[in-house]
Amino acid sequence: MRPQDLIRKKRDGLVLSHQEIAAFIGGVTDGSWADYQISALLMAIFLRGLNADEAAVLTEEMLHSGEVLDFSEIDAPKADKHSTGGVGDKTSLIIAPLAAACGVAVPMISGRGLGHTGGTLDKLESIPGYNVNLSLTEFKKTIKLCGFAMSGQTAEIAPADKKLYALRDATATVDYIPLIVASIMSKKLAEGLDALVLDVKTGTGAFMPTFEKARELAEALVATGAKCRIRTTAVISDMNQPLGKFVGNALEVYECIKILQNEDDAQMRSTRELSLELTARMLVLTGVEKNLETAKSLCEAKLRDGSALEKLQSNIKLQSGDIHICDQPDALLDNNLLQIAVKSETDGFVSAIDTKIIGQIMCNLGGGRIKTDDQIDHQVGYQCEAVIGDEVRTGDTLGVLFCRHTDKVNLAPQTLQKAYKLSQEKPVISELVKGSV
Ligand code: URA
């Protein structure tokens, strides 16, 4: 089957057969299709679309382009959470140990940050010594010993996605729902899960700015999970402002440990609330708890008695990290950073925050990646002081930037200031969990 024939067929709006999609993914995986041919077919798919059957076949073929993990020797039910990405979105670091403390095994394969959104692997690497490059044997052993493991995508898992994602990123073909679904689900289904909870973000810092688009993505993800016989549910959560108190790798780990230590900080409550919501859904989907109410009570109890923090500590030890940060999270932070307060220029209520701008400034200052091979400064970050609905006066602090001294810093405080919209009337505050599928 020649690539140009498949490209022509899709270019002309026709439906690709199972064998043709299999030939495409085979060619991506074994390198027999050139990048320009893959990119041309991706663009034809983006413009002409895939029907539900083509999308399901694409997901299956991408999943089977690599290994599907088998955790049948682990007795506990296996579940994971996947987020579509946001700013300050750090729930994985709470969910994995908390679910493990409640009896669910979590084989968490995570990614790095790209663009304005952060990635779990970068956050984990701010823990001194923490190894995110586990072999499959180490990955399984870690889950058996402490209930969860967090590692990067190995070459064995959905290799076709790795290649396709890089080309989609370079050819403006990322934001098409069937391609997003195939990409996310091929990786997650390869984890050998019984259940999957998806956190689809919506708002100014999300991949899907509108609720309608977020719901469409959530429905497509859940439908694909069901087709592949994995119990799947999706929560649509608010990303109209950063989640919790901090944005930035080390600062986000710091926030998670403070929550696991049961520190009650008003600005961290949204992180805690969403982490509990998503973990509770994992417990219900796996049958560990009957309903969301009892599941949330179990999560509260495991947080309160310190067992979730103990799980994190065991995992950090097994993944070669410095366990002292669990007692002294301050050790994660560098006191030599510049701290620049972003001040309000007027009086009023914070009514909107352009969250994407906060993520982009983090990248510009070295806290995130612009290109996939960029090195990052784990200490760069932002502390959110004012949230939507707060009343501020001229000169009040909206947030604090933590950064190194570079030329790029100069404009950052003014740009951040402009990310906040103030109004004279108190705005309606949106729910953190806006819906579920
Ligand atoms: N995240 C993924 O893993 N894939 C996509 O296509 C988009 C977001």
Side-chain angles (χ1 to χ4, degrees):
M1 235 175 263
R2 297 187 322 155
Q4 51 270 52
D5 296 330
L6 305 194
I7 296 165
R8 184 178 306 105
K9 195 166 171 188
K10 189 43 84 181
R11 182 200 69 187
D12 294 343
L14 301 174
V15 173
L16 297 177
S17 69
H18 193 137
Q19 289 89 330
E20 286 165 336
I21 294 172
F24 168 48
I25 296 304
V28 171
T29 312
D30 67 17
S32 59
W33 277 47
D35 285 1
Y36 50 83
Q37 292 169 318
I38 302 170
S39 302
L41 185 51
L42 285 171
M43 185 56 83
I45 288 173
F46 186 92
L47 296 173
R48 291 301 203 155
L50 291 177
N51 68 27
D53 289 339
E54 287 174 295
V57 171
L58 181 69
T59 308
E60 289 271 355
E61 290 300 323
M62 284 170 64
L63 161 65
H64 293 295
S65 67
E67 226 176 280
V68 178
L69 305 185
D70 176 9
F71 294 119
S72 47
E73 77 258 46
I74 297 174
D75 280 341
K78 272 77 61 185
D80 194 8
K81 181 271 320 182
H82 176 83
S83 151
T84 57
V87 177
D89 179 22
K90 53 190 84 73
T91 60
S92 293
L93 276 76
I94 296 173
I95 291 171
L98 182 55
C102 297
V104 173
V106 186
M108 192 174 268
I109 293 181
S110 303
R112 296 195 178 278
L114 189 61
H116 70 282
T117 64
T120 302
L121 294 187
D122 297 324
K123 300 182 213 289
L124 290 169
E125 280 182 341
S126 59
I127 302 173
Y130 196 92
N131 178 16
V132 295
N133 297 309
L134 301 181
S135 66
L136 281 181
T137 314
E138 291 165 332
F139 190 65
K140 277 189 187 172
K141 188 171 159 203
T142 307
I143 299 169
K144 273 191 192 158
L145 291 172
C146 77
F148 75 101
M150 296 187 280
S151 188
Q153 189 183 351
T154 64
E156 294 96 335
I157 294 193
D161 176 63
K162 210 169 182 174
K163 176 90 198 169
L164 288 175
Y165 193 81
L167 291 174
R168 286 167 60 212
D169 198 33
T171 58
T173 50
V174 170
D175 46 347
Y176 176 55
I177 284 180
L179 291 178
I180 297 173
V181 171
S183 167
I184 292 175
M185 295 304 279
S186 62
K187 286 175 290 205
K188 287 290 143 185
L189 298 173
E191 290 178 1
L193 304 172
D194 301 307
L196 174 64
V197 175
L198 295 146
D199 178 14
V200 179
K201 305 278 188 197
T202 182
T204 56
F207 209 39
M208 292 290 155
T210 66
F211 180 78
E212 290 68 31
K213 271 283 174 200
R215 177 172 281 283
E216 197 183 326
L217 176 59
E219 284 171 354
L221 288 163
V222 170
T224 304
K227 254 192 186 142
C228 298
R229 290 173 295 283
I230 305 274
R231 278 165 263 151
T232 310
T233 188
V235 163
I236 301 164
S237 73
D238 185 62
M239 188 33 69
N240 280 303
Q241 58 189 333
L243 184 70
K245 183 167 183 171
F246 293 109
V247 182
N249 295 295
L251 285 163
E252 291 186 37
V253 178
Y254 172 86
E255 178 173 339
C256 291
I257 292 174
K258 287 285 185 186
I259 291 170
L260 290 167
Q261 287 179 334
N262 290 302
E263 181 153 319
D264 182 26
D265 180 320
Q267 256 118 345
M268 295 182 185
R269 277 188 208 143
S270 58
T271 306
R272 189 181 191 279
E273 187 192 331
L274 187 59
S275 303
L276 254 76
E277 174 80 32
L278 297 168
T279 314
R281 285 176 186 267
M282 281 162 78
L283 302 187
V284 174
L285 273 191
T286 50
V288 168
E289 283 294 329
K290 283 209 168 54
N291 58 54
L292 266 182
E293 208 176 307
T294 59
K296 281 186 189 167
S297 302
L298 181 61
C299 290
E300 287 281 359
K302 296 294 177 187
L303 265 183
R304 231 177 297 117
D305 71 6
S307 30
L309 183 60
E310 266 170 42
K311 282 282 178 197
L312 181 66
Q313 189 157 5
S314 316
N315 168 273
I316 293 177
K317 189 164 185 201
L318 288 163
Q319 296 201 213
S320 313
D322 179 358
I323 55 168
H324 296 109
I325 59 133
C326 293
D327 301 323
Q328 289 162 343
D330 288 27
L332 286 159
L333 311 178
D334 178 349
N335 295 323
N336 296 318
L337 291 175
L338 290 177
Q339 294 190 22
I340 306 170
V342 177
K343 307 262 187 185
S344 178
E345 278 184 313
T346 47
D347 297 351
F349 292 94
V350 177
S351 58
I353 301 176
D354 190 338
T355 311
K356 193 172 184 178
I357 288 187
I358 299 178
Q360 283 166 342
I361 297 234
M362 294 298 100
C363 289
N364 293 346
L365 296 178
R369 249 179 226 93
I370 296 169
K371 298 193 301 308
T372 34
D373 54 355
D374 283 347
Q375 291 296 313
I376 62 171
D377 183 339
H378 292 93
Q379 300 292 329
V380 166
Y382 186 64
Q383 177 177 335
C384 309
E385 285 284 331
V387 296
I388 294 177
D390 283 356
E391 187 172 15
V392 295
R393 305 238 163 261
T394 307
D396 281 357
T397 301
L398 299 169
V400 181
L401 189 58
F402 294 76
C403 58
R404 314 256 173 216
H405 190 76
T406 70
D407 294 349
K408 293 181 193 156
V409 170
N410 298 337
L411 287 176
Q414 289 99 304
T415 313
L416 282 167
Q417 204 173 48
K418 291 196 172 51
Y420 289 77
K421 295 276 166 289
L422 267 62
S423 64
Q424 291 318 303
E425 267 152 50
K426 195 172 166 79
V428 178
I429 299 170
S430 82
E431 298 282 316
L432 181 58
V433 174
K434 295 162 91 81
S436 63
V437 176

